[in-house]
Amino acid sequence: MTAQVTPSAARIASALSRWQQGIGDGDLDRIASAFTADALFQGLRPHHSIGRSGVVAYYDSQPVPLTVEYDVLRAHDLGDDAVVAYLAAVFHLEGRDDIATHLTLVFEREDDDELLISHYHVSRVD
């Protein structure tokens, strides 16, 4: 899977690439750097977290090696400083069944010019 190339998708490509590469490398700091400092994160668990430490804790508890492939199904600007995106993502776990998901993500501009993930919600696709 690859990201859809639209103007809105291009604006979030850097953060998505860093998230994807961090997962594949098992680099928790790289994964967390794709998120805002106050990001709301809802993984495949019943509870959510706020901030990068919750993102790190979630991915630190995942089996390794873990990789993810994704397609941006829809992305559109919410203004100059925000994009909302809907992704199809498949997480690959060695020796286990793949996990097909949908992600709803909101990206916001933090301190610099880059848009980072400020809201992450995943749901399993059966």
Side-chain angles (χ1 to χ4, degrees):
M1 291 187 220
T2 57
Q4 179 184 357
V5 181
T6 66
S8 296
R11 295 181 66 205
I12 61 175
S14 176
L16 286 174
S17 177
R18 194 162 55 249
W19 168 75
Q20 180 185 43
Q21 290 173 358
I23 290 171
D25 294 342
D27 185 340
L28 300 173
D29 291 333
R30 186 168 180 84
I31 296 167
S33 73
F35 291 80
T36 62
D38 64 349
L40 185 152
F41 182 89
Q42 177 67 60
L44 289 174
R45 295 191 179 145
H47 58 279
H48 73 282
S49 65
I50 303 292
R52 291 182 179 125
S53 62
V55 174
V56 167
Y58 180 83
Y59 283 105
D60 191 36
S61 71
Q62 299 304 302
V64 290
L66 176 67
T67 59
V68 63
E69 294 180 78
Y70 66 89
D71 279 320
V72 176
L73 301 176
R74 178 159 167 71
H76 70 271
D77 292 346
L78 296 175
D80 291 340
D81 296 327
V83 171
V84 64
Y86 184 63
L87 282 63
V90 177
F91 291 87
H92 305 285
L93 302 98
E94 189 172 296
R96 298 184 185 188
D97 291 338
D98 289 346
I99 300 172
T101 67
H102 285 141
L103 300 173
T104 300
L105 306 173
V106 176
F107 295 77
E108 292 183 88
R109 190 173 315 282
E110 204 163 52
D111 296 329
D112 59 15
D113 279 343
E114 185 177 14
L115 295 173
L116 300 175
I117 303 165
S118 65
H119 180 102
Y120 176 108
H121 185 269
V122 63
S123 57
R124 192 182 294 258
V125 177
D126 292 323

